[in-house]
Amino acid sequence: MTAARRVAVIGGGPGGLYTAALLKRLDPAREITLWERNAPDDTFGFGVVLSDETLGGIEHADPAVHRSLQREFVRWDAIDVVHRGTRHTSGGHGFAALGRHRLLRILHERCRELGVDLRFRTPAPETDRLMREYDLVVAADGVHSAVRTAHADVFRPRITGHRCRYIWLVADFAFDAFRFEIAETEHGVMQLHGYPYTADASTVIVEMREEVWRAAGFDALDEQGSVERCAKIFADALGGRPLRSRDSAWTTFRTVVNERWSHGNLVLLGDAAHTAHFSIGSGTKLAVEDALALTACLTEQPTPEQALTAYEQERAPVVASTQRAARASLEWFENLALYLDRPPRQFAFNLLTRSRRVTHGNLRLRDAAFTESVEREFGCPPGTPPMFTPFRLRGLTLRNRVVVSPMDMYSAVDGVPGDFHLVHLGARALGGAGLVMTEMVCVSPEGRITPGCAGLWTGRQTESWRRITDFVHRQAPGTAIGVQLGHSGRKGSTRLMWEGMDEPLPEGNWPLVAASPLPYTPRSQVPRQLTRAQLTDVREQFTSAAWRAARAGFDLLELHCAHGYLLSGFLSPLTNHRTDAYGGSPDKRLRFPLEVFDAVRAVWPEERPMTVRVSATDWAEGGTGAEDAVAIARAFAAHGADAVDVSTGQVVADERPEFGRSYQTPFADRIRNEAKVPVIAVGAISSWDDVNSLILAGRTDLCALGRPHLYDPHWTLHAAAEQGYQGPGAVWPAPYRAGSRPPRTGRADDPAPRVTPGG
């Protein structure tokens, strides 16, 4: 155990109080002082929701606190979604809530019982002084943390504001479920989040976009006026009953992220360290879990410094995951207007799965009847998971919603695909996906990324591709194969990926061209800016390659306008600095990619679909963002694109992507529902449960998976087997049918006792 004998806690919220109580309980000899500048009962909000997982941790760490909480909890398991006068209820979710004041009193009583020195209405001494006089200083002083601000050079906080205003209110009756209600007013969309926290009271949060808030006149109302107006707007949800407030004010949510959580013997905890949007009910939960982890690390590690390092290493990944889910939920409500016209049950399913924490699979476990009703409304035949429903693009019908994403193999010789490509693409076609995409196939020798890139600029390459498409059509009937055409632009003439990604060739380099003469990295070759004559040449290279692709027998053609390659380089303001007709405004930056698209579409067979891959954000300041991506998607759709393949990034080397599970799907979702064009979602979609969830929620039409298909070429067929699905959406090749069920494994369970000795 650490030698943290004297502990200072700054902040008297649940996180600070619970930390003090736990540390004192584990070592009664500790001297623990807690400072809180406000009165004991001063707090925001009304009710607190805790998960069963968090309660389990509390029970293990301090049974006395757990018993006190258990006596207070209101429990329910249903969620109501009310939209356009229709209520859809989903059960099996499991919530436990209590009043925030009651939670604080329980923690006050426990701290006093254990001997913690609680000092209310008393600002904490200066932090540097506390760090000198105490072995450990815990800063639990909330979202506006003065400690974090004072040491911002060490913690390096990033604080992000968001687009909605909200207000915490209370209703003097208990909802019988967690209730989400949507109000479509003349000023815009508003939403109510409500849940019970005692037998006769509920928390009510009213939220809306800033522009809706202003248009509705809330900016000109005082507190009571806002309360009365909210009660009137949501009169149906409230049964005509009033709302009340307690010094409630409209505010905007701020996401707090810190690069570091500790500094010497000073550590951040709860909202001082991180925040997660209230729509996933996680603020108090995270603070309590921080307290549990910090206390455990102080018990397990020999010094406070080592304990704080272990605490941050343990909690940071968990918090980052929660913040990603919270960000997805927050943005869903910010963009709520996009989903209002979805079928009613799909709308409810979309809301329930908005954070990606609840999925199709676990919602089916929680409430099979509700999930099946959503599937029926979507059009799933009985027993058919959403991923195995067909989808039509122009004259091509895909038998399921799974796409093998384009993945560069760097294994061609002189641009010619060989036996490796036949086996690679053929295996994945046999694996059951509805559409198998080639890697980026380059339109010229100078348009290659590496010497190992495949191409379509010669007849020999065309015939080699024909060999592959013939195999797919003959041996995997029902599977479509598509080609992705592209030009490397400024990212060309580099080594094979495993020899050094984006590193220039040591010898044999070819000259590069781009929208503007900007190297990709400081080590990269400086490209030449394309002249008007060269633009024409490049366009003709694309059309010639498209003509060859049609002769090679591909079912679909995708134009690569993403990832910083040539056409993408025209779209982004970070890589297009031209001052002629092909640079400047968004319309001018779109001009050349659209010219190429039109030329390719003109030679590509009319009945075969064309898609476009775009980077929906550059993940860099001043670059393409989500709103730009919607405009780009609309432009391509207006020119005849049948779908948009929505990726992100790889446009500039100094990007800062926000990686995480399904991290790119919100961009596809927005393009689909705002630009009204079919989309292909990509990016860390790793499970068939994710695919089902995204499809059924209406966030995408198709899901493209790369790495899962490298791990398992038969990923789609195995997904069907694991879900017990046998149907036209996943057809096993005749030679493989014996493997359509998981192989049996040896028994590992020991025989159960059958005879019990008497006595």
Side-chain angles (χ1 to χ4, degrees):
M1 181 179 290
T2 68
R5 315 305 299 171
R6 302 186 72 232
V7 179
V9 180
I10 306 171
L17 289 165
Y18 193 50
T19 301
L22 286 177
L23 290 173
K24 189 69 172 175
R25 177 178 182 271
L26 288 173
D27 185 354
R30 279 191 174 113
E31 176 191 328
I32 300 179
T33 306
L34 182 147
W35 287 269
E36 169 54 55
R37 65 171 57 248
N38 297 312
D41 287 340
D42 287 349
T43 184
F44 72 93
F46 300 96
V48 173
V49 180
L50 296 175
S51 68
D52 288 340
E53 180 184 18
T54 304
L55 291 174
I58 293 173
E59 182 178 20
H60 179 76
D62 193 338
V65 170
H66 185 263
R67 285 193 297 270
S68 297
L69 294 174
Q70 288 286 74
R71 288 193 291 269
E72 301 289 338
F73 275 132
V74 173
R75 293 184 177 273
W76 73 100
D77 72 355
I79 297 176
D80 285 345
V81 179
V82 184
H83 173 44
R84 293 182 174 171
T86 302
R87 180 172 70 176
H88 292 286
T89 300
S90 172
H93 296 277
F95 296 99
L98 78 164
R100 188 174 179 87
H101 276 117
R102 186 60 191 133
L103 171 62
L104 291 175
R105 290 192 192 104
I106 289 170
L107 295 175
H108 294 163
E109 291 165 7
R110 185 58 171 158
C111 284
R112 291 190 180 100
E113 175 186 319
L114 292 167
V116 175
D117 181 4
L118 299 179
R119 301 182 182 181
F120 292 105
R121 299 185 181 89
T122 308
E126 192 262 335
T127 308
D128 289 341
R129 173 186 158 192
L130 291 177
M131 293 172 69
R132 290 192 301 270
E133 296 179 358
Y134 286 80
D135 301 317
L136 176 67
V137 181
V138 179
D141 53 340
V143 65
H144 301 291
S145 171
V147 175
R148 184 186 65 226
T149 301
H151 296 276
D153 59 323
V154 176
F155 297 126
R156 294 189 290 278
R158 298 195 310 276
I159 301 173
T160 306
H162 300 287
R163 304 176 70 171
C164 284
R165 291 268 185 168
Y166 68 95
I167 188 169
W168 290 86
L169 303 170
V170 65
D172 291 320
F173 71 95
F175 284 119
D176 56 6
F178 204 128
R179 188 179 182 103
F180 294 99
E181 179 136 351
I182 313 304
E184 295 177 69
T185 75
E186 60 183 314
H187 308 293
V189 184
M190 307 176 187
Q191 58 261 16
L192 175 148
H193 311 240
Y195 59 87
Y197 64 88
T198 68
D200 57 4
S202 297
T203 290
V204 172
I205 306 168
V206 176
E207 182 185 28
M208 64 198 73
R209 296 255 303 223
E210 172 85 17
E211 61 268 27
V212 176
W213 180 78
R214 292 190 181 279
F218 280 109
D219 58 331
L221 295 177
D222 61 11
E223 180 182 352
Q224 187 56 34
S226 287
V227 172
E228 292 172 359
R229 184 78 180 279
C230 289
K232 183 177 180 181
I233 291 169
F234 291 101
D236 287 346
L238 301 170
R241 287 166 285 204
L243 291 167
R244 55 186 179 82
S245 65
R246 185 190 303 117
D247 296 324
S248 301
W250 291 98
T251 188
T252 56
F253 189 81
R254 305 201 309 166
T255 298
V256 175
V257 176
N258 285 280
E259 288 188 24
R260 292 186 57 188
W261 295 10
S262 63
H263 169 44
N265 62 341
L266 170 65
V267 64
L268 301 179
L269 184 144
D271 283 355
H274 47 69
T275 60
H277 193 248
F278 58 81
S279 61
I280 65 169
S282 59
T284 301
K285 173 182 182 295
L286 286 176
V288 168
E289 291 175 353
D290 282 354
L292 289 164
L294 177 60
T295 304
C297 291
L298 287 164
T299 302
E300 297 160 356
Q301 300 296 325
T303 68
E305 289 76 13
Q306 288 172 294
L308 299 190
T309 298
Y311 158 70
E312 185 170 344
Q313 289 174 343
E314 176 183 336
R315 291 295 294 155
V318 177
V319 168
S321 176
T322 301
Q323 288 186 313
R324 284 193 295 270
R327 180 68 177 260
S329 178
L330 176 155
E331 291 179 348
W332 193 93
F333 282 110
E334 285 185 340
N335 297 307
L336 176 59
L338 296 179
Y339 310 114
L340 296 177
D341 294 329
R342 306 306 303 165
R345 288 184 178 82
Q346 186 182 64
F347 177 87
F349 179 86
N350 196 351
L351 187 153
L352 293 172
T353 60
R354 67 195 181 279
S355 72
R356 304 192 289 275
R357 286 290 180 92
V358 176
T359 65
H360 172 265
N362 61 38
L363 194 55
R364 173 174 279 279
L365 288 174
R366 297 177 190 203
D367 192 339
F370 170 78
T371 308
E372 288 167 5
S373 73
V374 181
E375 292 170 347
R376 285 195 301 272
E377 184 180 76
F378 181 79
C380 297
T384 301
M387 65 185 292
F388 293 115
T389 56
F391 189 73
R392 187 175 181 85
L393 289 169
R394 203 170 285 238
L396 176 67
T397 298
L398 303 176
R399 66 183 177 191
N400 62 52
R401 307 299 186 101
V402 179
V403 178
V404 176
S405 195
M407 294 175 283
D408 288 319
M409 294 289 107
Y410 307 110
S411 299
V413 177
D414 296 327
V416 178
D419 290 347
F420 177 87
H421 294 82
L422 174 67
V423 174
H424 167 67
L425 294 169
R428 280 138 192 91
L430 292 171
L435 173 64
V436 176
M437 292 297 300
T438 69
E439 61 198 88
M440 185 177 89
V441 175
C442 304
V443 298
S444 68
E446 299 78 22
R448 292 174 297 166
I449 309 166
T450 75
C453 289
L456 257 175
W457 65 83
T458 70
R460 184 181 172 203
Q461 293 162 354
T462 306
E463 292 307 310
S464 294
W465 284 117
R466 183 82 207 193
R467 176 182 176 225
I468 294 168
T469 62
D470 282 349
F471 176 89
V472 171
H473 293 144
R474 184 174 61 252
Q475 300 296 341
T479 295
I481 181 167
V483 62
Q484 184 188 72
L485 292 185
H487 186 298
S488 62
R490 69 179 188 149
K491 296 177 74 174
S493 194
T494 62
R495 304 181 190 191
L496 303 183
M497 180 180 66
W498 46 86
E499 294 176 352
M501 181 179 287
D502 298 322
E503 291 295 323
L505 291 169
E507 58 184 16
N509 286 279
W510 55 85
L512 303 181
V513 294
S516 297
L518 304 170
Y520 181 60
T521 73
R523 302 178 305 281
S524 301
Q525 182 185 151
V526 177
R528 294 173 301 180
Q529 178 169 304
L530 285 162
T531 65
R532 292 293 291 267
Q534 290 172 322
L535 291 174
T536 300
D537 292 341
V538 169
R539 188 177 69 235
E540 290 178 355
Q541 290 169 359
F542 272 95
T543 56
S544 296
W547 179 81
R548 291 188 179 94
R551 286 178 56 85
F554 286 105
D555 302 300
L556 175 147
L557 186 149
E558 179 165 283
L559 190 64
H560 202 332
C561 297
H563 298 170
Y565 298 124
L566 183 68
L567 299 182
S568 170
F570 277 86
L571 294 174
S572 172
L574 297 179
T575 51
N576 183 345
H577 293 180
R578 300 174 74 102
T579 58
D580 63 2
Y582 294 96
S585 69
D587 287 344
K588 289 182 176 181
R589 296 198 306 272
L590 264 164
R591 183 175 177 181
F592 184 62
L594 289 174
E595 285 181 1
V596 173
F597 180 92
D598 290 342
V600 170
R601 181 69 267 184
V603 301
W604 184 244
E606 176 65 25
E607 71 281 3
R608 301 188 204 178
M610 263 189 75
T611 63
V612 178
R613 174 168 275 204
V614 300
S615 285
T617 176
D618 293 342
W619 299 115
E621 187 175 351
T624 297
E627 292 183 6
D628 304 306
V630 171
I632 291 169
R634 281 197 178 113
F636 279 113
H639 282 246
D642 299 292
V644 178
D645 186 355
V646 186
S647 187
T648 65
Q650 302 178 56
V651 175
V652 292
D654 59 348
E655 65 179 2
R656 295 188 65 177
E658 297 175 5
F659 291 119
R661 173 170 152 255
S662 306
Y663 72 105
Q664 295 178 154
T665 58
F667 298 98
D669 182 1
R670 182 166 180 179
I671 287 173
R672 182 183 192 270
N673 287 289
E674 193 166 343
K676 307 299 182 187
V677 58
V679 297
I680 305 168
V682 304
I685 303 170
S686 57
S687 72
W688 48 258
D689 194 17
D690 285 340
V691 176
N692 283 328
S693 301
L694 293 167
I695 298 294
L696 191 58
R699 297 191 186 111
T700 188
D701 299 284
L702 300 167
C703 287
L705 299 91
R707 288 179 177 85
H709 281 111
L710 294 180
Y711 180 76
D712 178 6
H714 291 80
W715 186 89
T716 306
L717 292 179
H718 291 156
E722 289 166 14
Q723 294 175 82
Y725 171 73
Q726 295 181 344
V731 179
W732 285 76
Y736 287 179
R737 284 177 189 159
S740 62
R741 292 183 177 85
R744 294 181 179 180
T745 58
R747 281 188 61 150
D749 53 320
D750 295 325
R754 298 177 62 197
V755 178
T756 302

